[in-house]
Amino acid sequence: MVQDEPKGEVVAASDAPREKKLNFFQRIALFIRQVFAELRKVVTPTRQELLKFTGVVLGFVVVMMAIVYGLDLLFTWVVNVVFGVPS
């Protein structure tokens, strides 16, 4: 593990010499430190961005529902034509 210069974060490096393997509790502590370091990088969206992202997701869901509904109708019709009782 190597300390990243700008922020002091611990990152993996392939060219660094191997250090002694950390014990179980040290690995848990390292994991938690890395989680907090990543969480500091998270940017909260503004209200406008949140509404835009929500609209995009809902629009995508509606489009996918329409596609699945259309395919369901198509396959139902095909099954009725192939296996249906003749009128």
Side-chain angles (χ1 to χ4, degrees), residues 32-50:
I32 292 172
R33 282 196 308 270
Q34 289 175 339
V35 166
F36 283 126
E38 289 297 319
L39 286 175
R40 280 193 288 274
K41 297 176 186 177
V42 173
V43 178
T44 305
T46 64
R47 183 172 180 84
Q48 182 180 6
E49 289 173 334
L50 184 63

Side-chain angles (χ1 to χ4, degrees), residues 28-77:
I28 290 175
L30 175 63
F31 174 75
I32 292 172
R33 282 196 308 270
Q34 289 175 339
V35 166
F36 283 126
E38 289 297 319
L39 286 175
R40 280 193 288 274
K41 297 176 186 177
V42 173
V43 178
T44 305
T46 64
R47 183 172 180 84
Q48 182 180 6
E49 289 173 334
L50 184 63
L51 291 174
K52 182 172 57 171
F53 295 155
T54 302
V56 168
V57 169
L58 291 176
F60 178 77
V61 168
V62 167
V63 168
M64 292 307 296
M65 286 172 52
I67 291 172
V68 170
Y69 179 72
L71 288 172
D72 182 51
L73 287 178
L74 175 69
F75 292 143
T76 302
W77 177 78

Side-chain angles (χ1 to χ4, degrees), residues 13-28:
S14 60
D15 59 345
R18 292 292 253 166
E19 294 180 6
K20 181 180 167 188
K21 185 174 179 180
L22 302 175
N23 68 30
F24 178 73
F25 296 107
Q26 289 172 330
R27 285 185 282 163
I28 290 175

